[in-house]
Amino acid sequence: MADIIQLLPDHVANQIAAGEVVQRPASVVKELLENAIDAGATTIKLIIKDAGKTLIQVIDDGKGMSVTDARLCFERHATSKIKSADDLFQLNTKGFRGEALASIAAIAHIELKTKQAGDDVGTAIVIEGGSVTSQEVVVTPQGTSVSVKNLFFNIPARRNFLKSNAVELRHIIDEFHRVALVHSDINFVLYNNGSETFNLPVSNYRQRIVNIFGTKTNEKLVPVDEDTEVLKISGFVGKPEFAKKTRGEQYFFVNNRFIKSAYLNHAIASAFDGLLKSGTHASYFLYLTVDPQTIDINIHPTKTEIKFDDEHTLYALLRSAVKHSLGQFNIAPVLDFERDASLDTPYNFERKQTNSPTIEVDRSFNPFVADDRPVKAPSPVSTSPSKSYSYKKESTSNWESLYVGLESKSNNESQEFSEVHFESDQTTASIFNDEKEVEQTHTTYQLHNKYIVSTIKSGMLLIDQHRAHQRILYEDFLKNMTIKEAISQQLLFPLELHFSVKEIEILKQLKEDLEHTGFVFSSVLNESVEITGVPVSVPESEVSIILEQLISDVENEVPDAHFSATDLLAKSMAKSLAIKTGQSLKKDEQEHLVNKLFACKEPNVTPTNKTTFITMSVDELDKKFI
């Protein structure tokens, strides 16, 4: 029988490896930034065009490479980080397996320029699809510049799986944040399509967080600092009152490497137990330092998952450290049995006799008697004698003259006002469109402030009020955005809301659709938006919640070019504004909800395809009693 096992060609092996390392342009950004950091750079520039599909360029001022290293770095498993298997447990660098550049070179056009500090000239190498097309000497500054062009040019199927530019750019910014947050001693600059998006100067950790997420972030941070033999914890957690519905601002760094850990995230959530509102998540930026021998970071191609030797100890330490910080800075409620004497109520006059107030009344005063003598005014309620105020009462002897001529005047006016027209009250339309002449044929009941029970000919109808209202609002918003005739309610005072740069970019993309629903934006800046008008059905206090929920939905559902942003916006606003479970409804509100639901095009399901109501026939009820 013929042999069937064979070695794969290098270009095929590289493309397979690229499938593990490079999922999207953001993966290339992560690898190139980490290489620049390992090279000892103090300034790193990231240049993006068309969300990385056309160009990803990283320029650093690190130590550079020699001619041999520049050529060798694109070979598979060529690395300067490890020399033996034991080095895998003593890693202090970002990359170590030597797969990144070889994988990227197999699926893109790469141009590399590099020069070491002591050399007069540098080296330029051009690679297309894994093959070196040119290598020459060039004049270039110290450091390395790597340009990745036309990503996935030779794998059209992979390129078709990429999302829209807006979505891919958000992933790139996420990776940029993860690298920049942990290296505050490096100056990072991000250019997107020729414009500067981020310029992060050298600073401390707190200032780096503020520079990325906005100036308002500074007042939200609570420092965490704990140093033990097993683990060193530093960083910040967000105050409970600033918790968001999104998980975007949650960062764990272990030995200067961003990781994802649901187990450690649960430790933070348990530390905030009882302090957060339902459905909200606390922000945290925590830097953990452990012995490299106690972790294994080589279990995932992207190295975002780490295996710990003793997870239970880390869990307990992390939970107690966060809880201690919240209590230390008076964020968490505590019982204080040591009373501060300066706050006690003084009782110096406790045993002194109180004097009852006296009221002086002039009992001889008569308003119907003319008297020219001064009269003493009543004194205010006081125990001390008050000053006397005298006045002279006017004479009332000629009171009959006040009515002279009134009779003739009233006769003349009666002729002028022979016809009197009364202005009718302005009728205001009810939001429930009630008409008393129409006799209500359906009877509704509210069950546990969650379900609405209504009778039908065949039996009984059970409606989920939250889901039903979602369907009603969804179709209303979708109609308003489609015909662009939404009614806006102007605010007395403009509403200013603060967001991070990434969230502002999302709002800019949705601004036009939001305006079609009734929002009016007076200004959209780098870290804030000013709103002067909101839809009629949206209370002012709910605006920030709606926009946060909208940003969360856009980030999580990741709509691509084939997905309707209008539809997503309508779904998100309907979910935020729908009446909640536990809200009591009056009879007319219940009936209006039922009538509006069955006036919808698809009353059976919510915008997310969940059932809105169920029916139970009389026969089914009869079977329950058998």
Side-chain angles (χ1 to χ4, degrees), residues 561-589:
H562 306 290
F563 195 93
S564 171
T566 303
D567 183 74
L568 177 64
L569 178 58
K571 285 181 181 178
S572 180
M573 292 183 62
K575 182 168 61 176
S576 299
L577 292 174
I579 54 177
K580 302 298 185 288
T581 298
Q583 183 174 341
S584 178
L585 300 178
K586 299 178 181 178
K587 283 289 183 183
D588 50 358
E589 292 174 333

Side-chain angles (χ1 to χ4, degrees), residues 63-89:
K63 56 187 176 183
M65 290 182 285
S66 65
V67 178
T68 305
D69 289 344
R71 183 67 178 264
L72 195 60
C73 71
F74 291 103
E75 299 296 328
R76 292 190 67 200
H77 305 305
T79 178
S80 62
K81 314 299 173 55
I82 60 175
K83 294 181 180 180
S84 66
D86 294 336
D87 294 339
L88 289 172
F89 301 98

Side-chain angles (χ1 to χ4, degrees), residues 447 451-456 458-465 467-468 597-598 603-605 610-617 620-621 624:
L447 183 65
Y451 300 105
I452 296 176
V453 183
S454 179
T455 57
I456 54 177
S458 60
M460 183 180 67
L461 190 69
L462 194 62
I463 302 173
D464 187 309
Q465 64 183 35
R467 294 184 178 182
L597 175 63
F598 290 100
N604 300 328
V605 293
K610 294 182 180 178
T611 305
T612 57
F613 67 89
I614 59 173
T615 58
M616 188 172 289
S617 64
E620 291 175 329
L621 289 172
K624 299 291 183 183

Side-chain angles (χ1 to χ4, degrees), residues 80-280:
S80 62
K81 314 299 173 55
I82 60 175
K83 294 181 180 180
S84 66
D86 294 336
D87 294 339
L88 289 172
F89 301 98
Q90 294 289 342
L91 289 172
N92 294 308
T93 57
K94 301 290 186 182
F96 52 87
R97 292 187 298 208
E99 292 182 3
L101 289 179
S103 301
I104 297 169
I107 54 173
H109 297 159
I110 291 187
E111 181 180 352
L112 170 70
K113 292 181 181 180
T114 183
K115 184 176 81 74
Q116 291 181 325
D119 296 340
D120 296 330
V121 292
T123 305
I125 297 178
V126 178
I127 300 178
E128 295 182 2
S131 302
V132 179
T133 58
S134 71
Q135 179 175 348
E136 56 186 8
V137 176
V138 294
V139 176
T140 183
Q142 178 189 340
T144 304
S145 170
V146 183
S147 300
V148 179
K149 304 175 183 178
N150 306 321
L151 195 64
F152 299 123
F153 79 99
N154 53 354
I155 312 179
R158 290 291 303 276
R159 193 174 180 90
N160 291 336
F161 275 101
L162 295 180
K163 304 295 184 180
S164 64
N165 286 355
V167 174
E168 295 298 340
L169 180 62
R170 283 202 298 274
H171 285 286
I172 290 174
I173 292 176
D174 283 340
E175 292 293 349
F176 179 78
H177 286 172
R178 291 169 182 175
V179 175
L181 279 171
V182 76
H183 294 283
S184 59
D185 57 338
I186 300 176
N187 177 24
F188 286 92
V189 185
L190 171 60
Y191 296 95
N192 177 37
N193 293 331
S195 63
E196 184 180 278
T197 305
F198 288 98
N199 190 344
L200 308 175
V202 176
S203 60
N204 54 28
Y205 285 140
R206 187 180 193 118
Q207 190 60 44
R208 176 57 57 90
I209 295 170
V210 171
N211 289 337
I212 291 177
F213 295 100
T215 54
K216 287 291 181 179
T217 312
N218 191 33
E219 62 188 54
K220 305 176 184 178
L221 300 179
V222 177
V224 178
D225 192 8
E226 192 72 33
D227 194 355
T228 66
E229 295 180 356
V230 180
L231 173 70
K232 180 180 180 181
I233 306 172
S234 61
F236 305 90
V237 294
K239 294 180 181 179
E241 60 264 30
F242 298 106
K244 294 186 176 182
K245 292 190 174 183
T246 63
R247 294 180 179 268
E249 297 179 5
Q250 295 184 342
Y251 295 89
F252 273 122
F253 302 97
V254 175
N255 293 356
N256 290 340
R257 185 188 301 274
F258 171 79
I259 67 159
K260 296 178 181 178
S261 175
Y263 187 71
L264 296 183
N265 180 73
H266 189 273
I268 305 297
S270 62
F272 277 90
D273 190 24
L275 299 177
L276 300 178
K277 296 179 181 178
S278 177
T280 60

Side-chain angles (χ1 to χ4, degrees), residues 594-613:
V594 175
N595 295 334
K596 288 282 286 183
L597 175 63
F598 290 100
C600 294
K601 293 181 180 179
E602 296 183 15
N604 300 328
V605 293
T606 65
T608 53
N609 292 323
K610 294 182 180 178
T611 305
T612 57
F613 67 89

